[in-house]
Amino acid sequence: MNDFSHRATWAYGSAMAALILFMYLPMITMALASFSRSKYFSFPVPKYSDKWYLEVFQSLSIRDFFWTSTVVAIAVACLSTVLAFFGALAFARYDWKGRRLFQKIILLPILFPQAVLGLALLLWFTALGITPSWQATVFAHLVWIAPIATLVIAIQVYSFDPAVEEAAYDLGASRWQVMREITLPLLAPGIFSGFTFAFLLSWANFPLSMLSSGADSTIPEWVSAKLQSGYTPQVPAVGTLTILAAAVVMAFGYQISAFMKRRQVKAG
Amino acid sequence: MTDASVRISHVAAGHSRVSRAEPWQVRLGTALSKPGFLAALPVGILLLAGFVGPLALVFLFAFMPPQTFSVLQAPTLANFRTIFSDSYYLSFLASLQLAASTVAILLVICYPLAIAMVRVFTRKAGILALVLAAPLFVADNLRLMGWMLFLVKGGVVSGTMQTYLGIPVDSMLYTFSATLFGLVYINLPMMLFPMILGVSMVPAQMREAAFDLGASRWQVMKEVDIPLAMPGIMIGALITFILAAGAITEAKVLGGTAVVMIAQDIQKEFTFAQNWPKGSALSMLMIVLAGSLALAMFKRVDLDAIFGRKG
Amino acid sequence: MTAATGDTASASSAPPPILQLRGVDKLFGEFPAVDRISLDIREGEFFTIVGPSGSGKTTMVRMLVGMDKPTNGDILLRGERINDVPANKRPTCMVFQSLALFPHRSVGQNIEFPLKIRGVKAASRKERALELMAQLRLPESYYGKGVSQCSGGERQRVALARALAFDPEILFFDEPLSALDYKLRKILEKELKDIHRETGKTFVYITHSLEEAMVMSDRIGVMNKGRFVQIGTPNEIYGNPSTRFVSEFMGEVNILEVGPGPDGTVIDQATGASYHAPPIADSFAGGSLVIRPEDIRFLDDTASPAANKLEGVVYNEYLLGSRVQYQVRVGDAQVFLVEKLREQQLASARGGRVTIAWDAKDSTIFPTARFAS
């Protein structure tokens, strides 16, 4: 009953393969569409061309959108990692009275539809007289991403033995030394995953950027506008480029976290 | 400062004996000396300013007279009356119907996949999870655009059928089903990952014991597997239901005008119509729905047990 | 293996075997976790499989219960081959090491589980569950309790009741007591033996503790590296261990590496001392001389005669409840353990010079070549 029969393994394997294909099919289609020479996509593609990529690389406005997306994503990743590090300690490490409540409150923004949250934030910014800008977008992203990063780091915190910290205190370390010498290095892989998650989620976010960024549009906003006002293969070309960028960040992240885990195993 | 106020409070209590509760300064002081509370503060303040505040404002605006831009007026129920007399509840019902269908479809699709991830491909689970989570890092509207190009007339499906098989196929877009398809696609990871957590919470020995006591495969699943994986299944169902009910992009990109979802109505009121109170009242429907479902789940699920599992 | 078959042949008057293994193998890749085992388990006996971790005992019981299939060989239940019968179709049942109580079900529902699976009506299910609870001294009020509210000992009883509700022909146990504290374990060992008597069922018990096996079993099979090294009654195993492995496994023993000496004596290979030992074969080329700590005595009069005599210094003394153990150092290299009853405790022993002695009949010789373990 443990070892699945040959046929069952085969069936599960093909279901898994079908799932992966299903998840990636739209992206493959998009890449295909970006190389179509004619303005309107038709399949099979009659003639291929890379002219849309050349246009994208030459477009100054698209360069601006890329830049805004990157700046926002880096800011969100840095800020949410700091917030989430402490949040995760409160979530999983320390025993305190409000912990159960805190855990639930942290989950609420994740459970809430982003489109509606974005609209509520629009109302809030307007009422407070805050002009939409990339800084406002960073704030909007943080509301949703910092809780997710908190969960990512909290999972690592759970597997962390508090006795190690206590031993360090017992050996004469100060609170700050314990944080620097014990807590931070042990949680480093989780913190790094949290950072990567935050960057990538911000990079791909549309609903929270849409109403908060004002003139500082991000790539997903540009895509949305183009989808409504006039499709050209520039859209899938930009889409394919953002996917490549995300893939590079992910590959780096995976390598680095694998390296960190190896080093910890060795040291431990 | 904390020490001083503690001393003062003891003196005061000795004299008056009115209340045994300590003054708020003292309670705040002791709370501040707890590392847990301090660590929770930064995220707590963020959520207060970015989540609780905006939602509270929405709540206030929902009771303001229509077409006004201030919360300092006499409260009224006019917006809610409009919502229920107009056809707005239709978009709300459509959203609920789509969300329920999405959850039902995802439950059936994801359960065997979660079993496969946890029990069959145990050794490759890490890399598989990464491959399946990666699409989350691509904007929803980009991925939905990919499906649009796939399903549109002259796209991959109809192009293939026409060119290679000679069967003319019309566009498959701009229908209720297309929206549902988009919702299933976008929310699949939200169902799959909690379910994987749930399935991996079922100890192998528990299943073997049931099997050994004479249960068939089906009985093991019914009596042991599903009840023990329930926390994960419930979280998955809840997240997908709320996110699908509040979705916008799927309906816009794939559904065209076939379905109007509640979030589209809310957006319209806040942007084009500039009717904040009505938009807020519509948002309240969403907030109440999401809030009550979340509360129902929190009652039943131990978060430590779910996130704290090692491995 | 030879012990097993020889055993059945000699015990022809004993009840017929209920479970038979015929050349059973379980290979994981190239590695034999269970290595060509043949064994008969008799109807109604309490048979215990003992072995250190990694000896193959858990792999073996998983095959017997039907969770795993043997690579080679046959498993017969009352003469019928059951290799391919899955666990849920076998009339046998196991109490797991983790107990595997269902946390989402009450005590009563756990016990009733096998009956529910068979479609027994709720009323008669409850009746049977309460019967079993009474038999296992679980208060009736526990029927609706959650299993997480039960103590360690109560959980054991619930698991046992659940297995008995299945009414198996053979009941297997995979170290169910290993997680409990010493005192509770001792109580439950005896209870289990009582239940075995009351029910008259065949019990097959897995443990890594020979002590536990001694208390409960009719017969014990000692396993090492996928094979049985000795099968016999507790008395046979205690009094006549077949290999150095078995005698070491029973507890702390003194082991000396020895070679052949003149006139049937043996020579200590570390010190060159010569000892009187039980009779050895002419072909003896070397092996281990094993002496139990309780078989060594202190000589008050250093001149009094004894077969084997050594002078040493007491280095340390350990109190073991009703007994006392001494570490005696002889020369620079050798350490002997000597065990006495509490009443025979030496006065101010530490650092004192003593003479230790033992008789040839109390020592055992295990030749190296034949019984490498």
Side-chain angles (χ1 to χ4, degrees), chain B residues 205-217 219-220 222-224 227-228, chain C residues 62 65 67 87-88 92-94 96 98 100-105 116-117 162 166:
Chain B
Q205 281 211 340
M206 217 69 92
R207 308 177 50 247
E208 285 177 352
F211 191 59
D212 185 38
L213 289 165
S216 64
R217 264 165 206 282
Q219 283 170 319
V220 172
K222 196 181 79 176
E223 299 285 338
V224 178
L228 286 176
Chain C
R62 286 180 66 85
V65 175
M67 305 284 183
N88 60 349
T92 60
C93 168
M94 167 147 94
F96 284 74
S98 70
L101 294 177
F102 305 130
H104 57 300
R105 299 275 192 262
K116 187 180 170 193
I117 290 299
R162 185 175 73 177
F166 181 81

Coordinates of all heavy atoms in Angstrom, one line a residue, chain B residues 205-217 219-220 222-224 227-228, chain C residues 62 65 67 87-88 92-94 96 98 100-105 116-117 162 166:
Chain B
Q205 N 1.7 6.0 9.2 CA 1.3 4.9 10.1 C -0.2 4.9 10.4 O -0.8 3.9 10.6 CB 2.0 5.0 11.4 CG 3.4 4.5 11.3 CD 3.9 3.9 12.6 OE1 3.4 4.2 13.7 NE2 4.9 3.1 12.5
M206 N -0.8 6.1 10.4 CA -2.3 6.2 10.6 C -3.0 5.5 9.5 O -4.0 4.9 9.7 CB -2.6 7.7 10.6 CG -3.7 8.1 11.6 SD -3.1 7.9 13.3 CE -2.4 9.5 13.6
R207 N -2.5 5.7 8.3 CA -3.2 5.1 7.1 C -2.9 3.6 7.1 O -3.9 2.9 6.8 CB -2.7 5.8 5.8 CG -2.7 7.3 5.9 CD -2.2 8.0 4.6 NE -2.7 7.4 3.4 CZ -2.0 6.7 2.6 NH1 -0.7 6.5 2.8 NH2 -2.5 6.3 1.5
E208 N -1.7 3.2 7.5 CA -1.4 1.8 7.5 C -2.3 1.1 8.6 O -2.7 0.0 8.4 CB 0.1 1.6 7.8 CG 0.9 1.9 6.6 CD 2.4 1.7 6.9 OE1 2.8 1.6 8.1 OE2 3.2 1.8 6.0
A209 N -2.5 1.8 9.7 CA -3.2 1.2 10.8 C -4.7 1.0 10.3 O -5.2 -0.1 10.5 CB -3.2 2.1 12.0
A210 N -5.3 1.9 9.6 CA -6.6 1.8 9.1 C -6.7 0.6 8.1 O -7.6 -0.2 8.2 CB -7.1 3.1 8.5
F211 N -5.7 0.6 7.3 CA -5.6 -0.5 6.3 C -5.5 -1.8 6.9 O -6.2 -2.8 6.6 CB -4.4 -0.2 5.4 CG -4.3 -1.0 4.1 CD1 -5.3 -0.9 3.2 CD2 -3.2 -1.8 3.9 CE1 -5.2 -1.6 2.0 CE2 -3.1 -2.5 2.7 CZ -4.1 -2.4 1.8
D212 N -4.7 -1.9 7.9 CA -4.4 -3.1 8.7 C -5.7 -3.6 9.4 O -5.9 -4.8 9.6 CB -3.3 -2.9 9.6 CG -2.9 -4.2 10.4 OD1 -2.9 -5.2 9.7 OD2 -2.5 -4.1 11.6
L213 N -6.5 -2.6 9.8 CA -7.7 -3.0 10.5 C -8.8 -3.3 9.6 O -10.0 -3.4 10.0 CB -8.1 -1.8 11.4 CG -7.3 -1.6 12.7 CD1 -7.5 -0.2 13.3 CD2 -7.5 -2.7 13.7
G214 N -8.5 -3.5 8.3 CA -9.5 -4.0 7.4 C -10.1 -3.0 6.4 O -11.0 -3.4 5.6
A215 N -9.7 -1.7 6.5 CA -10.4 -0.7 5.7 C -9.9 -0.9 4.2 O -8.7 -1.2 4.0 CB -10.0 0.7 6.2
S216 N -10.8 -0.6 3.3 CA -10.4 -0.6 1.9 C -9.7 0.7 1.6 O -9.8 1.6 2.4 CB -11.6 -0.8 1.0 OG -12.5 0.3 1.1
R217 N -9.1 0.8 0.4 CA -8.5 2.1 0.0 C -9.5 3.3 0.1 O -9.1 4.3 0.6 CB -8.0 2.0 -1.5 CG -6.6 1.6 -1.7 CD -6.3 1.2 -3.1 NE -5.2 0.3 -3.1 CZ -3.9 0.7 -3.0 NH1 -3.7 2.0 -2.9 NH2 -2.9 -0.1 -2.9
Q219 N -12.2 3.4 1.9 CA -12.5 3.7 3.4 C -11.3 4.4 4.1 O -11.6 5.3 4.9 CB -12.8 2.4 4.1 CG -14.2 1.8 3.8 CD -14.4 0.4 4.3 OE1 -13.5 -0.4 4.2 NE2 -15.6 0.2 4.8
V220 N -10.1 4.0 3.7 CA -8.9 4.8 4.3 C -9.0 6.2 3.9 O -8.8 7.1 4.8 CB -7.6 4.1 3.8 CG1 -6.4 5.0 4.2 CG2 -7.4 2.7 4.3
K222 N -11.7 8.0 3.1 CA -12.9 8.6 3.7 C -12.7 8.8 5.2 O -13.0 9.8 5.8 CB -14.1 7.8 3.4 CG -15.4 8.5 3.6 CD -16.6 7.6 3.3 CE -16.8 6.7 4.5 NZ -17.9 5.8 4.5
E223 N -12.1 7.8 5.8 CA -12.1 7.8 7.3 C -10.8 8.4 7.9 O -10.8 9.0 9.0 CB -12.1 6.3 7.8 CG -13.4 5.6 7.5 CD -14.6 6.0 8.3 OE1 -14.4 6.6 9.4 OE2 -15.7 5.8 7.9
V224 N -9.7 8.4 7.1 CA -8.5 8.9 7.7 C -7.9 10.0 6.9 O -7.6 11.1 7.4 CB -7.4 7.7 7.8 CG1 -6.1 8.2 8.3 CG2 -8.0 6.6 8.7
P227 N -10.3 13.4 6.5 CA -10.5 14.2 7.8 C -9.2 14.7 8.3 O -9.2 15.9 8.8 CB -11.0 13.1 8.7 CG -11.6 12.0 7.9 CD -10.8 12.1 6.6
L228 N -8.1 14.0 8.2 CA -6.8 14.5 8.8 C -6.2 15.6 7.9 O -5.4 16.4 8.4 CB -5.8 13.4 9.0 CG -6.1 12.4 10.2 CD1 -5.2 11.3 10.2 CD2 -6.1 13.2 11.5
Chain C
R62 N 6.5 -6.1 9.1 CA 5.7 -5.5 8.0 C 5.3 -6.5 7.0 O 4.3 -6.4 6.4 CB 6.5 -4.3 7.4 CG 6.6 -3.1 8.3 CD 7.4 -2.0 7.7 NE 6.7 -1.4 6.5 CZ 5.8 -0.5 6.5 NH1 5.4 0.0 7.7 NH2 5.2 -0.1 5.4
V65 N 2.5 -8.7 8.4 CA 1.2 -8.1 8.5 C 0.7 -7.8 7.1 O -0.6 -7.7 7.0 CB 1.4 -6.7 9.3 CG1 0.1 -6.0 9.3 CG2 1.8 -7.0 10.7
M67 N 2.1 -5.3 4.9 CA 2.4 -3.9 4.5 C 3.5 -4.0 3.4 O 3.5 -3.1 2.5 CB 3.0 -3.0 5.6 CG 2.1 -2.9 6.8 SD 0.7 -1.9 6.5 CE 0.0 -2.0 8.2
A87 N -2.8 -6.2 3.5 CA -3.0 -6.1 5.0 C -4.5 -6.1 5.3 O -4.9 -6.6 6.3 CB -2.3 -4.9 5.5
N88 N -5.3 -5.4 4.5 CA -6.7 -5.2 4.9 C -7.5 -6.5 4.6 O -8.7 -6.6 5.0 CB -7.3 -4.0 4.2 CG -7.3 -4.1 2.7 OD1 -6.7 -5.0 2.1 ND2 -8.1 -3.2 2.1
T92 N -5.0 -10.7 10.4 CA -4.1 -10.3 11.4 C -4.1 -8.8 11.6 O -4.6 -8.1 10.8 CB -2.6 -10.7 11.0 OG1 -2.4 -10.0 9.7 CG2 -2.5 -12.2 10.8
C93 N -3.5 -8.4 12.6 CA -3.6 -6.9 13.0 C -2.4 -6.5 13.8 O -1.8 -7.4 14.5 CB -4.9 -6.8 13.6 SG -5.2 -5.2 14.4
M94 N -2.0 -5.3 13.8 CA -0.8 -4.8 14.4 C -1.1 -3.6 15.3 O -1.8 -2.8 15.0 CB 0.2 -4.5 13.4 CG 1.4 -3.7 13.9 SD 2.9 -4.1 13.0 CE 3.0 -2.8 11.8
F96 N 0.9 -0.5 16.4 CA 2.0 0.2 15.9 C 2.9 0.9 17.0 O 2.4 1.1 18.1 CB 1.6 1.4 15.0 CG 1.1 0.9 13.6 CD1 -0.1 0.3 13.5 CD2 1.9 1.1 12.5 CE1 -0.6 -0.2 12.3 CE2 1.5 0.6 11.3 CZ 0.2 0.0 11.2
S98 N 3.9 3.9 17.0 CA 3.4 5.2 17.3 C 1.9 5.0 17.8 O 1.3 6.0 18.1 CB 3.4 6.1 16.1 OG 2.5 5.6 15.1
A100 N -0.6 4.9 16.3 CA -1.5 5.3 15.2 C -3.0 5.4 15.6 O -3.8 5.0 14.9 CB -1.3 4.4 14.0
L101 N -3.2 6.0 16.8 CA -4.6 6.2 17.1 C -5.1 7.4 16.3 O -4.4 8.3 16.0 CB -4.7 6.6 18.6 CG -4.4 5.5 19.6 CD1 -4.4 6.0 21.0 CD2 -5.3 4.3 19.4
F102 N -6.4 7.3 15.9 CA -6.9 8.4 15.0 C -7.2 9.6 15.9 O -8.2 9.5 16.7 CB -8.1 7.9 14.3 CG -7.9 6.6 13.5 CD1 -8.7 5.5 13.6 CD2 -6.8 6.6 12.6 CE1 -8.4 4.4 12.8 CE2 -6.5 5.4 11.9 CZ -7.3 4.3 12.0
P103 N -6.5 10.7 15.6 CA -6.7 11.9 16.5 C -8.1 12.5 16.4 O -8.5 13.3 17.2 CB -5.6 12.8 16.1 CG -5.2 12.4 14.7 CD -5.5 10.9 14.6
H104 N -8.7 12.3 15.2 CA -10.0 13.0 15.0 C -11.2 12.1 15.4 O -12.3 12.4 15.1 CB -10.1 13.3 13.5 CG -10.0 12.1 12.6 ND1 -8.9 11.3 12.6 CD2 -10.9 11.6 11.7 CE1 -9.1 10.4 11.7 NE2 -10.3 10.5 11.2
R105 N -10.9 11.0 16.1 CA -12.0 10.1 16.6 C -11.8 10.0 18.1 O -10.7 10.0 18.7 CB -11.8 8.8 15.9 CG -12.0 8.8 14.4 CD -13.4 8.8 14.0 NE -13.6 8.5 12.6 CZ -13.8 9.5 11.7 NH1 -13.8 10.7 12.1 NH2 -14.0 9.2 10.4
K116 N -16.8 -0.9 12.4 CA -17.5 0.0 11.5 C -17.1 -0.3 10.1 O -18.0 -0.3 9.2 CB -17.1 1.5 11.8 CG -17.8 2.5 11.0 CD -17.4 3.9 11.4 CE -17.9 4.9 10.5 NZ -17.3 6.2 10.6
I117 N -15.9 -0.6 9.8 CA -15.4 -1.0 8.5 C -16.1 -2.2 8.0 O -16.4 -2.3 6.8 CB -13.9 -1.2 8.6 CG1 -13.1 0.1 8.8 CG2 -13.4 -1.9 7.3 CD1 -13.3 1.1 7.7
R162 N -8.5 -1.6 20.3 CA -8.8 -1.4 18.9 C -8.4 -2.7 18.1 O -9.1 -3.2 17.3 CB -8.2 -0.2 18.3 CG -8.6 0.1 16.9 CD -8.0 1.4 16.4 NE -6.6 1.3 16.1 CZ -5.8 2.3 15.7 NH1 -6.4 3.5 15.4 NH2 -4.5 2.1 15.4
F166 N -10.8 -6.0 16.3 CA -10.6 -6.6 15.0 C -10.8 -8.1 15.1 O -11.1 -8.7 14.1 CB -9.3 -6.2 14.5 CG -9.0 -6.7 13.1 CD1 -9.4 -6.0 12.0 CD2 -8.2 -7.8 12.9 CE1 -9.2 -6.4 10.7 CE2 -7.9 -8.2 11.6 CZ -8.4 -7.6 10.5

